Amino acid sequence: MSRVETFVNEKDLLNRIHELKNELNVDRRKLTVYSNDSFESLELNEDVQSKTIDGNASDKLITYFSAGEPEDRRIENMKLNHEQEEAYRFALEHHQSVLFIDSPDFEGAHKTELKDMDYDAGTVVIDMNKLDDK
């Protein structure tokens, strides 16, 4: 089994990785981060596997000679269920980070949304689903 978790910011992602490694004893080799961007944290760049969705040189070479995108093959190799695949695609389309936990102790998906985040005092949050088009 495996689990996909999405994160809106690097701080929350790093906190979750610390929790998994230090409190839940998950081996760092079982954690992979997928993102559109590189990270500022040295730990995310060196201690945990991280991959950009553009694909590496090998992915690009294989794509040149085969049908399909590197992302489609990556999802297939990760053996994601439908819920996990939807969370993965949504996160990357919205410039969030994806944490893939390849462990039989974890399963499912957790999608972080903006409504789940803490806001600074005085911040006005607008629910875009309740706005009328005028």
Side-chain angles (χ1 to χ4, degrees):
M1 297 304 261
S2 62
R3 182 170 174 84
V4 169
E5 298 180 2
T6 67
F7 296 87
V8 178
N9 62 55
E10 188 171 328
K11 178 184 171 197
D12 291 343
L13 172 60
L14 197 53
N15 287 339
R16 178 60 172 154
I17 289 171
H18 284 193
E19 176 186 18
L20 289 165
K21 289 181 2 184
N22 301 330
E23 296 174 24
L24 301 174
N25 298 316
V26 176
D27 187 327
R28 68 177 179 81
R29 293 173 294 192
K30 299 292 185 182
L31 306 174
T32 306
V33 177
Y34 297 92
S35 178
N36 294 310
D37 307 306
S38 60
F39 297 102
E40 292 180 20
S41 164
L42 187 63
E43 182 174 5
L44 288 175
N45 286 315
E46 294 182 358
D47 191 40
V48 177
Q49 292 184 70
S50 58
K51 300 180 181 186
T52 60
I53 63 163
D54 290 337
N56 59 31
S58 174
D59 286 336
K60 292 175 184 177
L61 182 64
I62 291 169
T63 299
Y64 182 77
F65 292 106
S66 64
E69 295 294 319
E71 230 18 64
D72 295 331
R73 283 193 306 282
R74 185 174 291 142
I75 288 170
E76 187 177 309
N77 292 340
M78 292 165 57
K79 297 180 173 108
L80 301 180
N81 64 31
H82 180 71
E83 176 190 27
Q84 292 168 328
E85 183 178 335
E86 289 299 313
Y88 176 92
R89 288 187 187 277
F90 179 88
L92 294 177
E93 287 171 7
H94 293 88
H95 294 274
Q96 297 178 6
S97 299
V98 176
L99 175 62
F100 177 68
I101 308 167
D102 187 14
S103 172
D105 298 330
F106 297 89
E107 62 181 72
H110 179 267
K111 188 167 84 173
T112 302
E113 298 181 18
L114 290 176
K115 67 182 180 182
D116 299 330
M117 296 179 63
D118 294 329
Y119 294 94
D120 294 331
T123 300
V124 175
V125 179
I126 299 171
D127 185 347
M128 299 304 287
N129 294 323
K130 294 184 179 177
L131 291 178
D132 292 329
D133 291 331
K134 292 187 181 190

